[in-house]
């Protein structure tokens, strides 16, 4: 997992050929007031899900993991905590990996937590089990999906 700020995104843009396009778009568009839904940047190779979600308690959140996409969680408003645990340390599978939806779920607590403020982001790779939207109140965010 990588955690940083939008103002420092250029430092990690070389890690994937689509990262520059994503961060350039996010920095040049008013996404805080954009309607919720999918924003396509490059078809299924690169898209953003803009969402408003109600924060949940860490004890009620499961870990998720993806195989085909890198997730980039970009906070627009509110405060979001994301739990993390390495894939090799999870044991309690709640939902086996499903190609449709690109997701497996694990019912166990994260081992590490990071709290994002607006303008910050977290990149989670296929080896990063993560528990997003932990918090209170409305969390306004972007979830970018970057095809591996």
């Amino acid at each position: 997992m990588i955690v940083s700020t939008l103002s420092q995104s250029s430092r990690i843009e070389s890690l994937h050929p689509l990262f520059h396009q994503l961060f350039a778009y996010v920095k040049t568009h008013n996404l805080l007031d954009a309607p919720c839904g999918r924003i396509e940047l490059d078809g299924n190779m690169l898209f953003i899900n803009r969402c408003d979600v109600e924060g949940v308690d860490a004890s009620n959140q499961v870990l998720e993991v993806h195989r085909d996409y890198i997730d980039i969680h970009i906070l627009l408003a509110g405060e979001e905590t994301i739990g993390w645990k390495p894939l090799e340390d999870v044991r309690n599978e709640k939902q086996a990996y499903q190609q449709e939806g690109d997701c497996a779920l694990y019912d166990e607590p994260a081992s590490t937590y990071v709290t994002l403020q607006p303008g910050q982001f977290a990149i989670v790779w296929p080896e990063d089990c993560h528990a997003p939207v932990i918090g209170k109140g409305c969390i306004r965010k972007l979830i970018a999906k970057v095809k591996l």
Side-chain angles (χ1 to χ4, degrees):
M1 178 194 277
I2 295 174
V3 178
S4 191
T5 63
L6 288 172
S7 64
Q8 296 297 316
S9 67
S10 62
R11 299 184 72 175
I12 55 89
E13 289 176 11
S14 63
L15 296 177
H16 190 285
L18 295 173
F19 281 3
H20 175 74
Q21 180 182 355
L22 168 67
F23 287 114
Y25 183 87
V26 169
K27 290 177 184 180
T28 58
H29 290 78
N30 177 11
L31 299 173
L32 179 64
D33 298 320
C36 292
R38 182 174 166 137
I39 302 166
E40 287 199 24
L41 300 179
D42 189 1
N44 284 329
M45 295 299 292
L46 175 63
F47 60 93
I48 299 169
N49 291 316
R50 161 67 179 83
C51 53
D52 290 343
V53 292
E54 194 66 26
V56 299
D57 188 77
S59 64
N60 294 327
Q61 188 59 298
V62 296
L63 292 163
E64 61 185 61
V65 69
H66 313 290
R67 292 184 187 167
D68 295 333
Y69 286 90
I70 298 165
D71 270 6
I72 303 180
H73 298 260
I74 304 169
L75 190 62
L76 298 173
E79 183 177 275
E80 177 184 20
T81 298
I82 299 177
W84 174 86
K85 191 171 198 174
L87 181 59
E88 65 262 20
D89 290 350
V90 295
R91 303 286 178 261
N92 193 14
E93 187 176 72
K94 181 176 182 168
Q95 174 190 297
Y97 178 79
Q98 297 177 0
Q99 181 72 37
E100 179 77 24
D102 184 38
C103 190
L105 300 175
Y106 297 89
D107 191 17
E108 58 191 84
S111 57
T112 303
Y113 294 87
V114 62
T115 300
L116 300 180
Q117 302 298 322
Q120 296 177 337
F121 64 86
I123 301 175
V124 290
W125 309 90
E127 65 272 14
D128 294 323
C129 293
H130 56 288
V133 301
I134 297 171
K136 297 186 186 313
C138 182
I139 298 170
R140 183 168 289 181
K141 67 183 289 186
L142 307 172
I143 306 168
K145 305 293 271 183
V146 183
K147 183 80 169 164
L148 287 168

